[in-house]
Amino acid sequence: MCIRDSNTTSSTTDSSSSTSSSSCGAGSSIGVGLDDDGAVSRCVAAYTLRGWKNSYAGVVSYTDANLTLISPIVHDNHIGVALSRQGSGSNAIQGGLIGGRSEVFAVPDCLAHQCRDTTLYDTTTSAAPLCRSINSIDTTLTRTFNQAEIGVLMMPFLVEAPTPAYSRLTSNLPVTSPEKRDRSASYGALVISDIYLANFQFGRDTGRCDGSTVIATSGLSTLPLVPIYLMRSTLVRVSQGARVYVHTPYIGWEDHISMCDGKGCDALSHISISDVDGTFFDKVGTAMSVVSRIVNQYPAGCFSDNTWNVLMCTGVQFGQLTFQSKDQDADIRPLESLVVQQVSYLSRQVSVVAPPDCTRMDDCVSSGTRPGIFSTTIALSVTHLVDIGATVPFVSTWQLMGCPAPSGVILRIGFGDHVNRGITVWDVSTSSPAVVKTSALDLSVDAPGTHYLEERDSRLYVVLPCEAQLRVHVAVQGQVGLTLNLQIETFVTLYLDTAPARMAAFLGVAPSRVQLASVYPGSTIAVFTITGVDSIAYNASVEAADVNSLVMQVASTKADVLSERLGMPIVAIDHIVWASSTAAPYTPPTTTVTVSVALIVTISVVGTLLLAGLLFAQYKIYRYFATRLAVQKRNA
C-alpha cells in the first residue's frame, strides 16, 4: 500500500530494527525516509522499497548504521536515491531498478519538478540560489543540479546526521543539503551491484528538462562526497552523456573566508566513481574509474571527458586518502592545505582544503573552528609526496579506504625538523608499533605502517595499504641546559656515555626518555632532551604537562644538589625549553646536515689542538727572530 502525502514524507522507516519490509511512497516531496531513531544495530537491510513521481526524492537515508537497499524500485523522481549516514561506514544497493523519466514531460511538469523552486525558495533572496539553477550563479557550468532527474545523488557521510524531514518553510534546506555546522565522517563508500538503470536520456530532451543523469553531484556540495563502486550493471535506454556528471566547485566560495578560509571549498575536486567490471561504462571486462578533473592532475591512463566533466581512467585504481589532526586544539588551529603529488608526476600537484567551517553562504558566521580533516582521491600502487603545511600535528591519523587490500600506496610525508626529534607510527588495527626499516619499502610484502625516517629530505616514508589506519606521533620534548665546571675533554672522558642515564635516574623515568642532545665547549654546557611517553593512546597535551613537570624538577633544584645527585660538577642552569602541544613549528623539507654529540666533541678537540699548534708555531717564530736580534746587537 502506498501512502500519499503532498506535504512532507510519504513513508518513514525506523531503522532500529535490523531489517525493514516493503515501503512505498509516491506523489510527495520525499517517497521513503530512513532514519536511525536511536538505532543499536550496526547493519540495516531495507527490502523492496518503492518510490516514484516524488517531486524531490524517492529514497533518502541518514541512518546510524550501514544501510543496504535490497531490490528497490525507484522511478520518476527528481532524485532517485540519496543515501547518507551518521558516522563512517558503507551503504549498498543490491538489485532492483533506478529509473529516470518514463514519459516525455511538458514544460510546466518539468518546471514543477525543479526542486520546488517557486514553492520552497523563491520567496527569499538568500535561500533561493541554494536550490535554484546554478547557472544563475556560475554561467560556466553546463548542467545544473536540479535539472531533470538524478538516479543517485552523491552524498557526504556526516558526524551528526540531520533529521530526514522535508519542509516547505523557506528557511529550511532540502534534506540532502547538510546543515550549516555539519562535519564529515572520516570515510565512507556506496556500493551498487546487480542493478537495472533505465530511462536516463541526457542530450535527447530539450530545454530545461534535458539533463537526466544516472550519478551526479550537487553543484553546491562543500563536504567530501563518498566514492561509489558499481558492478554488474544493466543499462536500458541510457544515453552516453547520461552516465555521470561532476560539477566544478563554485568559484564564489573563494571569497568567502568563513567557509573555506578564502581558498575555495574543494569537495567536488575529489570525486571518485569506479566501475569494477566495466558494465556501467560499456567496457565489459575492464575496470574503469572516473575522477574529478583536478587542474594538472592527469594520471597515466586517464583522459578528459567534457560531457561528464571528469577524467576517464583505464587500468588505474583509486582510493580515498584521509588525513586528520587529533591534537586537542585541532579545531582552533586550522592547518594549511594538504599538498599531494604523485612521485612519477611531480608537476601534477593536488591541494586539499579542509572542510568548511559552515556549509551555507546565506547563513555563515565563523565560529573560529575548523575540522582538521582532509580527504582526497589518489591513485594506488604508486608513491606520493605529501606536505602538511606550516604546522604539524603531534598526533595524526592516516587511512586509505574505498579500495581492496592488498592494494595501497607509499607515502613520503614531509615533517621538516621533526624527523630529528622523533616520529613513531602505530598500526591501529593491532594497537602496536609499526615495523621500522632502514630503507627500501616494498608495498607488496611490508606490513601496514612499515616505515623509515629519511633525514636528507626530512620525510617519513611509510606503507599505507587499503583498509588500514595508522597513527603518527611527533614526540613532545622539553630541554634543560646545564653549565658544568670542567673542560669539554674531561666531560667526554668521564660523562659522555653515562650522562643521560644519570639524568633519567634523577628524574625517575626510563633511560629511553632522556637524550644528550649536544655539548658546547668553553664553559661546558650539556643539553638534555626529555621526551614524553609514546603509546597507541598518545595524548600530546598530557605528555607535554608531564615533560614540563620534569623540566621544572631540574630547574628548581639547586646546583649543589644537582651536582651530588648527577655526580657531575654543575655550576648553574644555562637554559630551559618548555614542551608544547599546541603547535609544532614546521620547517619545509630541505637537505640538512646533522652533527652528532660525538662529532661536536671531536671538532672541538681538533680545534683546540690546532689552536695549540698555531700558538706553539707562533712562539717558535718569535724565539727565532728574538735570538737573531740578540746576535745582531752583540755583533754591533
Side-chain angles (χ1 to χ4, degrees):
M1 176 179 179
C2 294
I3 303 172
R4 294 180 179 272
D5 183 343
S6 60
N7 294 321
T8 55
T9 303
S10 70
S11 179
T12 301
T13 301
D14 179 359
S15 69
S16 58
S17 58
S18 61
T19 63
S20 65
S21 58
S22 175
S23 294
C24 181
S28 11
S29 297
I30 292 179
V32 179
L34 301 170
D35 62 52
D36 64 329
D37 194 22
V40 176
S41 174
R42 302 309 303 167
C43 184
V44 168
Y47 291 85
T48 60
L49 298 181
R50 293 175 172 83
W52 68 89
K53 288 196 173 181
N54 296 288
S55 62
Y56 191 68
V59 179
V60 176
S61 73
Y62 282 102
T63 62
D64 184 16
N66 292 331
L67 172 68
T68 299
L69 300 186
I70 299 176
S71 301
I73 299 177
V74 181
H75 214 299
D76 285 296
N77 307 282
H78 168 44
I79 299 168
V81 176
L83 303 184
S84 183
R85 65 156 288 162
Q86 180 179 350
S88 298
S90 62
N91 291 334
I93 303 173
Q94 296 178 1
L97 166 71
I98 297 177
R101 183 183 309 168
S102 60
E103 57 186 344
V104 177
F105 281 13
V107 173
D109 295 325
C110 177
L111 293 179
H113 230 60
Q114 302 307 308
C115 198
R116 296 274 179 139
D117 280 352
T118 55
T119 306
L120 290 173
Y121 297 102
D122 281 352
T123 56
T124 61
T125 304
S126 60
L130 293 174
C131 191
R132 212 164 45 204
S133 169
I134 299 176
N135 279 339
S136 64
I137 302 174
D138 185 353
T139 57
T140 63
L141 298 178
T142 58
R143 201 181 302 190
T144 68
F145 159 63
N146 56 343
Q147 191 170 349
E149 293 78 33
I150 295 171
V152 178
L153 179 67
M154 299 190 74
M155 295 284 287
F157 286 6
L158 306 173
V159 173
E160 296 182 4
T163 302
Y166 193 82
S167 172
R168 294 188 181 210
L169 297 176
T170 56
S171 60
N172 289 351
L173 288 173
V175 66
T176 55
S177 298
E179 295 177 358
K180 65 179 180 178
R181 293 294 178 194
D182 276 345
R183 297 287 177 89
S184 297
S186 58
Y187 71 90
L190 173 61
V191 180
I192 303 175
S193 60
D194 302 292
I195 191 81
Y196 277 85
L197 303 165
N199 301 323
F200 293 93
Q201 295 289 303
F202 171 76
R204 299 180 184 178
D205 295 309
T206 58
R208 192 178 181 190
C209 291
D210 190 19
S212 295
T213 309
V214 178
I215 300 174
T217 60
S218 163
L220 292 171
S221 298
T222 57
L223 299 178
L225 306 179
V226 301
I228 292 179
Y229 301 86
L230 301 109
M231 60 191 77
R232 298 183 297 277
S233 307
T234 302
L235 278 61
V236 179
R237 293 211 312 155
V238 176
S239 65
Q240 184 65 22
R243 310 293 171 99
V244 170
Y245 189 75
V246 174
H247 290 85
T248 300
Y250 170 46
I251 195 171
W253 286 319
E254 295 179 3
D255 300 322
H256 205 286
I257 303 300
S258 297
M259 289 187 68
C260 293
D261 289 343
K263 300 171 185 175
C265 301
D266 68 345
L268 294 170
S269 294
H270 308 287
I271 301 298
S272 173
I273 303 170
S274 298
D275 183 9
V276 176
D277 56 6
T279 54
F280 181 72
F281 293 124
D282 289 339
K283 300 288 184 181
V284 178
T286 302
M288 305 287 292
S289 298
V290 297
V291 294
S292 305
R293 291 202 299 182
I294 304 170
V295 177
N296 292 330
Q297 182 68 6
Y298 281 68
C302 300
F303 63 90
S304 179
D305 187 297
N306 295 328
T307 304
W308 298 346
N309 195 33
V310 297
L311 294 179
M312 187 74 185
C313 304
T314 303
V316 182
Q317 288 186 306
F318 294 90
Q320 182 187 29
L321 173 67
T322 300
F323 155 76
Q324 185 171 10
S325 169
K326 292 293 187 177
D327 287 351
Q328 282 193 332
D329 64 339
D331 280 0
I332 60 175
R333 177 169 58 90
L335 302 175
E336 293 187 4
S337 301
L338 194 72
V339 177
V340 182
Q341 296 172 277
Q342 189 172 324
V343 169
S344 310
Y345 304 93
L346 289 179
S347 62
R348 298 171 186 175
Q349 174 178 299
V350 180
S351 180
V352 190
V353 179
D357 178 30
C358 48
T359 62
R360 291 171 53 177
M361 289 193 304
D362 66 319
D363 185 13
C364 186
V365 178
S366 177
S367 64
T369 66
R370 288 285 299 281
I373 182 171
F374 301 77
S375 293
T376 187
T377 298
I378 62 173
L380 303 179
S381 304
V382 294
T383 299
H384 297 269
L385 297 179
V386 183
D387 289 296
I388 299 173
T391 58
V392 174
F394 282 95
V395 181
S396 59
T397 58
W398 300 78
Q399 56 190 143
L400 186 62
M401 303 301 292
C403 52
S407 300
V409 296
I410 293 176
L411 301 180
R412 299 179 184 176
I413 308 171
F415 277 96
D417 53 9
H418 303 303
V419 167
N420 300 319
R421 64 186 289 176
I423 294 176
T424 56
V425 179
W426 290 75
D427 181 354
V428 174
S429 65
T430 61
S431 298
S432 60
V435 176
V436 180
K437 296 181 72 173
T438 56
S439 62
L441 299 178
D442 188 335
L443 188 58
S444 63
V445 297
D446 286 337
T450 301
H451 65 284
Y452 68 92
L453 299 174
E454 181 55 76
E455 295 184 359
R456 290 177 301 174
D457 58 1
S458 301
R459 292 186 180 274
L460 168 71
Y461 287 48
V462 62
V463 171
L464 180 60
C466 293
E467 308 299 328
Q469 181 177 7
L470 307 177
R471 281 176 63 97
V472 178
H473 301 163
V474 175
V476 172
Q477 294 180 337
Q479 279 192 349
V480 177
L482 302 179
T483 303
L484 294 90
N485 185 22
L486 76 175
Q487 295 299 311
I488 191 169
E489 296 85 357
T490 305
F491 178 86
V492 171
T493 302
L494 299 180
Y495 304 114
L496 181 65
D497 295 332
T498 62
R502 292 168 184 256
M503 179 63 76
F506 168 69
L507 296 174
V509 300
S512 60
R513 295 187 59 188
V514 180
Q515 294 84 36
L516 184 62
S518 56
V519 181
Y520 300 101
S523 297
T524 301
I525 299 173
V527 179
F528 294 87
T529 296
I530 304 170
T531 305
V533 178
D534 191 32
S535 69
I536 187 64
Y538 178 69
N539 184 310
S541 298
V542 172
E543 296 308 317
D546 178 57
V547 169
N548 286 336
S549 69
L550 297 175
V551 171
M552 177 58 74
Q553 182 179 335
V554 178
S556 61
T557 303
K558 293 182 178 180
D560 57 341
V561 177
L562 279 177
S563 297
E564 180 182 350
R565 297 289 300 276
L566 297 178
M568 298 185 294
I570 308 299
V571 176
I573 304 295
D574 179 75
H575 70 276
I576 61 174
V577 177
W578 298 110
S580 172
S581 64
T582 57
Y586 176 90
T587 302
T590 56
T591 301
T592 59
V593 178
T594 303
V595 182
S596 65
V597 172
L599 183 56
I600 292 174
V601 173
T602 301
I603 292 173
S604 175
V605 172
V606 172
T608 302
L609 293 175
L610 289 174
L611 179 60
L614 179 61
L615 292 175
F616 181 74
Q618 289 176 331
Y619 172 75
K620 295 290 288 183
I621 292 172
Y622 166 76
R623 291 287 298 169
Y624 171 77
F625 282 106
T627 302
R628 290 288 302 273
L629 182 60
V631 171
Q632 289 175 357
K633 285 183 178 180
R634 286 197 301 269
N635 293 337

